[in-house]
């Protein structure tokens, strides 16, 4: 079985690269989360504080267009969002300015936004009034002046082969696509005018940074009409076609088949939730056959998969958050396996299937506060933050393109490895097994426990595997992107808390105060150069350059002063630049790197190179993007545009327990002080810095990703 899976799924990586609407534009990351009914302001915060650091590809957001406002039993139901009034960007989740701010903030931390697009229909018959943006409408008259649409833009009763004009015969494609779905006014998408309005809506969202779309009720639209609409949709500003995934419910129970839409993007695979429920709820071994091509399931390079969505969790047909442990098993397995492109659900608690999101007294949507334990409050479930779910996003990305090998279900424990890049195990109860992981020898952080547990793999690939928390019976380890790159066990050093006195008198950036004890500098007996990467996300304008300065602040080490020679200053750290590229994009950084032998707090070192007569202002960085078509593309950048990179060898023996300080300058202007404790994620953040600082604290030998002026960071093995 393993060999068959390996051969079949290794094809997937090549298939994705040639299909125009299948690229999610998130740097190879593999997991989307649906933040169902969240406000734009709250999504922006979640991108910055959780989704970006955890390595999520993107977020599917609720429909942002103007919709009907419906009040029933003192509540506004969730489904009012699926009753469009116009394509104006004002909805229950917020206005256009808030939407744009959210999209840009999420994109800045490597999280793309995908819009749930309701374009098959407008609001249902029997409704009239004013929408969320103030547009009037009358559904019975087919009058939607906010677009505008009139009666001529909708399928007529004569177009529909049903007795009541509604969809009621799924064996007839014309009935499914030309009749009114549950009374919703069905647009005539074959009209060029309607196509222009829908593509114009898509284009307006692309202009503000949206990367793609979930097409709601795509099954009820003719593929040729969808193709015409997509053809009129523009490329993304960074290049490439927008990402599309289409809602096509095909359970071998009607005339509409998923393969009719394959050329238009991914297609939702509604048979997968049924298959994964069968395994996660009973015999875990059945999960080995969740992909059943004999049942008509879409191939892996076309299937958009999920355990539940906002519809199925209200139909009691799939596992949901209400199923607790079974649900965790289903989602964790989905993210560990290699079938399809994945989305996880993030819900709110409900008992009434029509209930809208948690609301205030005025029926507005509540904020999503985060409790001290990382879970959500105010009635939000936030399944994506559950450890066996949120921590698997990194796993899914790290093992992308690998096969499922050594699939086992023995003594109640399911386990398999993903090539030589990852290993996963789970059970209904806590477990301890000795198993071949398929990974190189080393010691690895368990992702589920967020590195509280370490797994030692011997030279034969064997390991004693058990979960850190018996109540969370999962283990997941990865090699972090290389055949022989492992995560070593490290011992955290205690954080030295600085007293709360005022700022020190140092002219250069440094800690707000000195630590309680100062460690005298002792020169290293031997050098310990390791490749180290600093990335600073900062949007700049043409002609601007970014440099970094740093080392150890002089309040931390005696003997440092502005008058010290660069080489003898104990706060400076030796570095060795390497030529990243000789293309024109790197001319400046290559010129400025000559003679730059230390990371220090000063400007240009004696003998340091210049570019066209302009001296260096520290250690130079180069501008990068994750767009392969751009001259600034770097494989280190899996986040987006405007990430400045310094890639050098650093003498780790001159750091403080592997840590050092760094701060950026843009055209001579210093980055502001970094307020608050570092909010770092990544496997390299398992070790705490030995002291506090108002600068970024980076780790030698790792990739350190910072955001200009922010305490958020990611520290990952190279």
């Amino acid at each position: 079985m393993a060999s068959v899976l390996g051969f079949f799924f290794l094809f997937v990586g090549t298939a994705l690269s040639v299909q125009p609407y299948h690229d999610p534009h998130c740097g190879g990351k593999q997991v989307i989360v649906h933040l169902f009914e969240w406000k734009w302001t709250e999504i922006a915060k979640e991108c910055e504080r959780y989704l970006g650091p955890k390595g999520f590809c993107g977020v599917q957001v609720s429909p942002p267009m103007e919709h009907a406002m419906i009040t029933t039993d003192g509540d506004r139901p969730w489904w009012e969002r699926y009753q469009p009034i116009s394509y104006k960007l004002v909805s229950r989740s917020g206005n256009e300015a808030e939407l744009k701010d959210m999209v840009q903030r999420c994109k800045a931390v490597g999280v793309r936004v995908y819009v749930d697009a309701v374009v098959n229909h407008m609001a249902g018959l029997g409704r009239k009034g004013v929408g969320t943006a103030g547009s009037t409408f009358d559904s019975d008259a087919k009058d939607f002046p906010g677009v505008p649409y009139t009666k001529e833009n909708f399928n007529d009763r004569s177009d529909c082969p049903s007795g009541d004009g509604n969809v009621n015969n799924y064996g007839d494609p014309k009935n499914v696509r030309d009749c009114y779905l549950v009374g919703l006014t069905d647009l005539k998408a074959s009209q060029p005018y309607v196509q222009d309005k829908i593509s114009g809506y898509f284009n307006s969202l692309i202009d503000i940074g949206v990367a793609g779309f979930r097409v709601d009720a795509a099954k009820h639209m003719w593929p040729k009409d969808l193709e015409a609409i997509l053809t009129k949709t523009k490329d993304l500003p960074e290049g490439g076609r927008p990402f599309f995934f289409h809602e096509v419910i095909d359970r071998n129970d009607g005339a509409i088949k998923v393969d009719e839409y394959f050329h238009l993007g991914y297609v939702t695979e509604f048979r997968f939730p049924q298959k994964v429920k069968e395994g996660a709820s009973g015999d875990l071994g059945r999960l080995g056959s969740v992909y059943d091509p004999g049942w008509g399931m879409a191939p892996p390079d076309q299937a958009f998969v999920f355990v539940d969505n906002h519809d199925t969790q209200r139909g009691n047909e799939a596992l949901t958050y209400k199923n607790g442990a079974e649900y965790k098993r289903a989602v964790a397995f989905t993210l560990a396996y290699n079938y399809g492109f994945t989305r996880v659900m993030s819900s709110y608690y409900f008992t009434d299937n029509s209930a809208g999101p948690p609301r205030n007294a005025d029926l507005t949507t509540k904020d999503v506060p985060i409790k001290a334990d990382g879970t959500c409050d105010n009635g939000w479930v936030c399944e994506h933050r559950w450890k066996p779910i949120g921590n698997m996003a990194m796993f899914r990305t790290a093992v992308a393109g690998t096969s499922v090998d050594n699939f086992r279900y023995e003594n109640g424990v399911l386990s398999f490895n993903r090539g030589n890049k990852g290993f996963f195990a789970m059970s209904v109860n806590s477990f301890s097994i000795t198993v071949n992981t398929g990974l190189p020898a080393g010691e690895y952080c368990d992702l589920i426990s967020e590195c509280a547990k370490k797994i030692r793999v011997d030279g034969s690939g064997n390991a004693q595997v058990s979960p850190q928390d018996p109540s969370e019976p999962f283990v997941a380890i990865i090699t972090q992107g290389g055949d022989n790159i492992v995560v070593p066990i490290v011992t955290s050093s205690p954080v030295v808390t600085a007293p709360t006195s005022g700022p020190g008198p140092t002219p250069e950036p440094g800690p707000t105060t000195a630590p309680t004890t100062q460690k005298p500098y002792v020169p290293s007996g031997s050098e310990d150069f390791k490749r180290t990467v600093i990335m600073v996300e900062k949007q700049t304008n043409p002609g601007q350059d970014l440099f970094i300065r740093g080392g150890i602040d002089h309040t931390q080490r005696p003997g440092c002063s502005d008058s010290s020679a660069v080489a003898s200053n104990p706060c400076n750290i030796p570095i060795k630049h390497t030529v990243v590229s000789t293309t024109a994009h790197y001319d400046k950084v290559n010129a400025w790197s000559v003679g730059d032998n230390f990371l220090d707090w000063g400007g240009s070192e004696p003998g340091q190179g210049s570019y066209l007569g302009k001296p260096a202002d520290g250690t130079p960085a180069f501008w990068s993007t994750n767009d392969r078509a751009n001259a600034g593309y770097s494989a280190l950048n899996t986040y987006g545009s405007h990430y400045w990179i310094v890639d050098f060898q650093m003498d780790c023996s001159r750091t403080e327990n592997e840590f050092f300080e760094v701060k950026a300058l843009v055209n001579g202007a210093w980055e502001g002080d970094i307020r608050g404790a570092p909010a770092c994620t990544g496997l390299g953040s398992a070790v705490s810095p030995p002291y506090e600082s108002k600068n970024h604290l980076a780790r030698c030998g790792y990739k350190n990703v910072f955001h200009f002026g922010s305490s958020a960071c990611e520290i990952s093995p190279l």
Side-chain angles (χ1 to χ4, degrees):
M1 178 179 177
S3 62
V4 173
L5 286 170
F7 174 81
F8 183 82
F9 287 116
L10 283 176
F11 168 77
V12 175
T14 57
L16 293 180
S17 64
V18 297
Q19 301 183 70
Y21 299 110
H22 291 67
D23 181 1
H25 303 281
C26 57
K29 289 178 279 190
Q30 299 287 309
V31 184
I32 290 173
V33 58
H34 184 189
L35 297 183
F36 181 55
E37 287 284 2
W38 284 42
K39 296 189 295 186
W40 309 145
T41 51
E42 295 300 292
I43 293 174
K45 295 176 189 175
E46 189 69 350
C47 284
E48 294 167 338
R49 68 194 173 196
Y50 189 85
L51 300 180
K54 285 292 182 182
F56 279 82
C57 162
V59 53
Q60 177 184 320
V61 302
S62 293
M65 79 286 142
E66 181 180 16
H67 56 86
M69 292 185 289
I70 301 166
T71 303
T72 59
D73 299 324
D75 192 14
R76 291 174 62 183
W78 65 268
W79 45 262
E80 74 171 32
R81 301 292 294 270
Y82 295 83
Q83 306 253 340
I85 302 306
S86 78
Y87 300 130
K88 297 174 183 176
L89 300 177
V90 180
S91 69
R92 173 191 269 176
S93 289
N95 59 35
E96 183 172 357
E98 291 167 332
L99 174 66
K100 183 176 182 179
D101 178 69
M102 177 268 289
V103 171
Q104 294 301 323
R105 286 168 62 184
C106 288
K107 185 177 180 181
V109 293
V111 182
R112 303 310 302 265
V113 172
Y114 310 103
V115 160
D116 194 351
V118 186
V119 295
N120 169 68
H121 55 263
M122 300 300 282
L125 296 171
R127 300 195 182 282
K128 64 185 302 184
V130 178
T132 48
S135 301
T136 60
F137 72 99
D138 184 338
S139 294
D140 287 346
K142 316 294 192 305
D143 184 29
F144 296 88
V147 180
Y149 284 142
T150 60
K151 183 177 180 180
E152 290 71 26
N153 305 126
F154 294 85
N155 282 319
D156 187 73
R157 178 68 186 82
S158 62
D159 298 319
C160 171
S162 76
D164 59 5
N166 291 322
V167 175
N168 51 30
N169 179 7
Y170 282 87
D172 179 359
K174 189 168 176 59
N175 180 286
V176 174
R177 290 165 171 154
D178 289 341
C179 299
Y180 286 20
L181 176 65
V182 293
L184 295 162
T185 49
D186 196 62
L187 284 165
K188 189 180 283 294
S190 60
Q191 287 185 351
Y193 176 83
V194 173
Q195 294 169 5
D196 289 344
K197 289 299 180 183
I198 295 173
S199 61
Y201 171 54
F202 289 162
N203 289 337
S204 68
L205 290 163
I206 289 171
D207 285 341
I208 67 173
V210 167
F213 306 88
R214 169 200 181 256
V215 180
D216 179 71
K219 174 179 180 175
H220 299 274
M221 301 178 72
W222 292 97
K224 66 179 185 300
D225 296 340
L226 265 176
E227 183 173 10
I229 293 167
L230 268 59
T231 299
K232 296 181 179 184
T233 302
K234 62 173 65 174
D235 287 348
L236 301 187
E238 61 268 33
R241 302 298 290 145
F243 182 55
F244 278 91
F245 49 107
H246 303 277
E247 186 195 24
V248 181
I249 304 175
D250 173 11
R251 300 190 181 98
N252 286 7
D253 54 358
I256 310 302
K257 302 299 180 186
V258 291
D259 59 8
E260 299 178 59
Y261 297 82
F262 285 170
H263 62 299
L264 302 175
Y266 279 100
V267 181
T268 52
E269 182 45 81
F270 276 82
R271 283 160 288 210
F272 182 82
Q274 295 176 255
K275 297 286 285 187
V276 78
K277 180 179 181 180
E278 293 171 359
S281 300
D283 179 0
L284 298 183
R286 299 177 67 179
L287 291 170
S289 58
V290 290
Y291 171 52
D292 185 355
W295 197 21
M297 292 178 70
D301 60 325
Q302 298 287 355
F304 191 89
V305 300
F306 46 91
V307 172
D308 63 330
N309 71 7
H310 66 282
D311 285 316
T312 62
Q313 65 178 199
R314 286 161 175 78
N316 299 317
E317 60 191 89
L319 293 173
T320 73
Y321 73 87
K322 298 179 182 181
N323 297 101
E326 295 173 57
Y327 184 76
K328 290 179 182 179
R329 291 195 292 272
V331 180
F333 171 82
T334 298
L335 299 179
Y337 208 58
N338 61 350
Y339 177 61
F341 194 89
T342 54
R343 178 188 61 200
V344 300
M345 184 68 191
S346 190
S347 317
Y348 53 83
Y349 295 99
F350 67 92
T351 53
D352 177 359
N353 284 344
S354 291
R359 56 182 175 79
N360 300 304
D362 62 357
L363 302 187
T364 57
T365 302
K366 284 187 174 182
D367 292 345
V368 188
I370 308 301
K371 296 187 289 188
D373 64 359
T375 60
C376 297
D377 208 346
N378 267 0
W380 299 94
V381 182
C382 295
E383 301 97 309
H384 70 284
R385 281 177 164 262
W386 295 359
K387 285 187 176 182
I389 297 175
N391 291 321
M392 287 298 291
M394 186 183 297
F395 182 95
R396 180 80 180 198
T397 296
V399 301
T402 62
S403 57
V404 172
D405 298 323
N406 301 313
F407 188 98
R408 309 174 187 86
Y409 181 55
E410 300 172 352
N411 302 317
V413 182
L414 180 150
S415 68
F416 53 85
N417 53 287
R418 294 292 304 274
N420 62 354
K421 292 189 176 181
F423 171 83
F424 174 79
M426 74 175 185
S427 183
V428 174
N429 302 302
S430 189
F431 61 89
S432 180
I433 58 172
T434 299
V435 66
N436 191 287
T437 65
L439 303 187
E443 293 176 310
Y444 298 84
C445 282
D446 167 43
L447 296 178
I448 305 300
S449 68
E450 298 174 338
C451 292
K453 176 85 174 182
K454 307 295 193 302
I455 304 295
R456 182 187 295 272
V457 177
D458 67 20
S460 300
N462 295 318
Q464 182 72 27
V465 176
S466 61
Q468 187 267 339
D469 181 352
S471 68
E472 301 279 19
F474 305 87
V475 170
I477 57 178
I478 53 177
T479 60
Q480 273 293 295
D483 291 345
N484 297 299
I485 299 175
V486 298
V487 182
I489 286 183
V490 288
T491 303
S492 296
S493 302
V495 174
V496 180
T497 303
T500 56
S501 57
T506 60
E508 71 272 12
T512 301
T513 58
T516 53
T517 59
Q518 291 190 358
K519 177 181 176 182
Y521 172 70
V522 178
S524 172
S526 61
E527 295 181 332
D528 182 22
F529 279 96
K530 293 180 181 177
R531 184 190 180 196
T532 302
V533 171
I534 305 295
M535 297 178 64
V536 180
E537 183 267 322
K538 170 62 175 174
Q539 184 162 351
T540 51
N541 297 318
Q544 292 184 317
D545 298 295
L546 187 143
F547 294 83
I548 63 169
R549 298 187 194 176
I552 307 298
D553 188 74
H554 79 267
T555 56
Q556 175 64 20
R557 282 185 180 166
C560 303
S561 69
D562 294 340
S563 60
S564 300
V566 175
S568 61
N569 191 324
C571 286
N572 299 344
I573 303 176
I575 58 175
K576 297 178 181 179
H577 284 279
T578 56
V579 177
V580 176
S581 172
T582 58
T583 62
H585 179 78
Y586 299 89
D587 283 352
K588 286 197 280 188
V589 73
N590 288 336
W592 283 324
S593 295
V594 174
D596 182 34
N597 299 315
F598 292 87
L599 180 66
D600 58 77
W601 294 111
S604 181
E605 295 179 25
Q608 186 171 348
S610 63
Y611 178 76
L612 298 180
K614 180 180 178 181
D617 203 10
T619 294
F622 63 86
W623 184 94
S624 79
T625 177
N626 62 347
D627 178 8
R628 291 179 179 272
N630 192 294
Y633 169 75
S634 170
L636 290 166
N637 184 349
T638 59
Y639 309 95
S641 297
H642 303 295
Y643 280 78
W644 291 81
I645 298 178
V646 178
D647 186 354
F648 49 26
Q649 299 285 323
M650 171 175 275
D651 184 1
C652 294
S653 70
R654 296 278 290 265
T655 62
E656 289 286 327
N657 295 336
E658 297 188 335
F659 282 89
F660 61 96
E661 298 168 69
V662 67
K663 188 163 281 185
L665 300 88
V666 176
N667 279 28
W670 281 99
E671 180 180 8
D673 288 347
I674 309 303
R675 303 296 183 183
C680 297
T681 61
L683 297 178
S685 66
V687 176
S688 299
Y691 60 91
E692 295 181 345
S693 174
K694 62 183 179 182
N695 306 309
H696 298 296
L697 281 160
R699 189 173 176 188
C700 190
Y702 287 76
K703 182 173 85 168
N704 302 268
V705 183
F706 301 110
H707 306 279
F708 197 87
S710 169
S711 63
C713 69
E714 177 185 317
I715 304 176
S716 303
L718 285 162

